[in-house]
Amino acid sequence: MSNVLNGDDLDLIFRCARTHNVWLDQPVEDALLQQVYDLAKMGPTSANMCPMRIVFVKSREAKEKLKPALDAGNVDKTMKAPVTAIIGMDIRFYDKLPKLFPHADAKSWFKDLPENALEYIALRNCSLQGAYFMLAARALGLDCGPMSGFDNAKVDEAFFAGTTIKSNFLCNLGHGYPSKLYPRSPRLGFEEACKVV
Ligand SMILES: Cc1cc2nc3c(=O)[nH]c(=O)nc-3n(C[C@H](O)[C@H](O)[C@H](O)COP(=O)(O)O)c2cc1C
């Protein structure tokens, strides 16, 4: 068995994977959302802190709750997407470290840090997990539409009130219309973005 993905797999996850804005009227089962999470959760985070928390907004009622927080350009596609994942982060991620990093007292490394330091750490690791999440979704045949154009405070109030979770970004999920895609924008070449020293 080869231990590298084949070309079709790489196309699915990277080369042909696009950010979608127009969605087919095709539902996404909850079981598939669970499979996506169960892959994404395996990606690494510092001290295995796993700060990402997700709310899958699926019902009409929940979509209506999300709507007032969205930037105008993100309303229509989000209301029509089969699912919108709110990728959130628990600023008190350290409470779970006795379970997640049992071989050391990792909770003591973080619990007395100021809020802005905790948020910085949570944001870094949650954003990584959000990226693992999108790759997992694509690997399981879903299309993604990530968005940061929304009012975080409104989303936090509507979905995370009374918790220590804050929203990071949103990600529409479903099956996109390939014919409605904009032309792919260029990426930086290796020489522009990287150096080997
Ligand atoms: C964190 C993040 C935030 C984004 N925010 C928005 C947004 O608010 N609205 C939008 O239409 N697209 C948004 N995008 C989509 C990007 O513009 C898109 O992913 C990028 O241009 C690459 O497109 P491609 O995947 O089709 O190549 C966002 C993407 C990411 C990863």
Side-chain angles (χ1 to χ4, degrees):
M1 194 169 75
S2 158
N3 63 357
V4 294
L5 297 181
N6 67 35
D8 288 344
D9 298 329
L10 295 171
D11 283 348
L12 181 70
I13 303 170
F14 293 103
R15 289 188 289 244
C16 298
R18 296 294 312 279
T19 295
H20 281 264
N21 294 305
V22 184
W23 302 97
L24 291 163
D25 188 15
Q26 206 176 311
V28 175
E29 300 303 325
D30 293 359
L32 182 55
L33 299 175
Q34 185 160 344
Q35 284 179 47
V36 171
Y37 176 74
D38 282 338
L39 283 182
K41 73 183 182 187
M42 302 313 295
T45 53
S46 52
N48 197 33
M49 61 177 55
C50 303
M52 180 174 70
R53 308 287 181 267
I54 305 174
V55 174
F56 291 107
V57 179
K58 238 182 139 175
S59 67
R60 188 52 29 198
E61 187 193 359
K63 283 286 188 78
E64 289 297 335
K65 221 164 107 177
L66 181 61
K67 193 175 176 183
L70 300 170
D71 284 4
N74 288 333
V75 171
D76 196 45
K77 56 188 165 192
T78 303
M79 296 308 281
K80 290 186 177 141
V83 183
T84 305
I86 304 174
I87 307 293
M89 53 190 184
D90 191 351
I91 307 306
R92 281 190 55 152
F93 56 84
Y94 53 77
D95 282 336
K96 300 234 183 284
L97 285 173
K99 168 183 172 157
L100 296 171
F101 205 70
H103 45 285
D105 180 18
K107 182 172 175 175
S108 68
W109 306 340
F110 300 101
K111 71 178 178 46
D112 298 319
L113 292 178
E115 172 111 1
N116 62 343
L118 289 170
E119 195 163 330
Y120 183 84
I121 294 165
L123 181 66
R124 173 191 288 137
N125 286 282
C126 171
S127 298
L128 284 167
Q129 287 192 286
Y132 308 144
F133 175 84
M134 289 192 282
L135 296 178
R138 288 170 166 176
L140 292 173
L142 286 171
D143 291 312
C144 297
M147 295 169 292
S148 53
F150 68 98
D151 184 326
N152 290 71
K154 283 188 184 165
V155 168
D156 295 352
E157 178 58 33
F159 291 93
F160 299 128
T163 76
T164 50
I165 301 170
K166 292 186 177 198
S167 53
N168 181 351
F169 70 96
L170 307 178
C171 186
N172 287 331
L173 295 164
H175 299 92
Y177 264 106
S179 60
K180 304 277 187 188
L181 288 167
Y182 302 115
R184 177 80 109 172
S185 298
R187 302 299 204 254
L188 298 178
F190 184 88
E191 327 65 46
E192 294 172 285
C194 315
K195 61 181 168 186
V196 180
V197 293

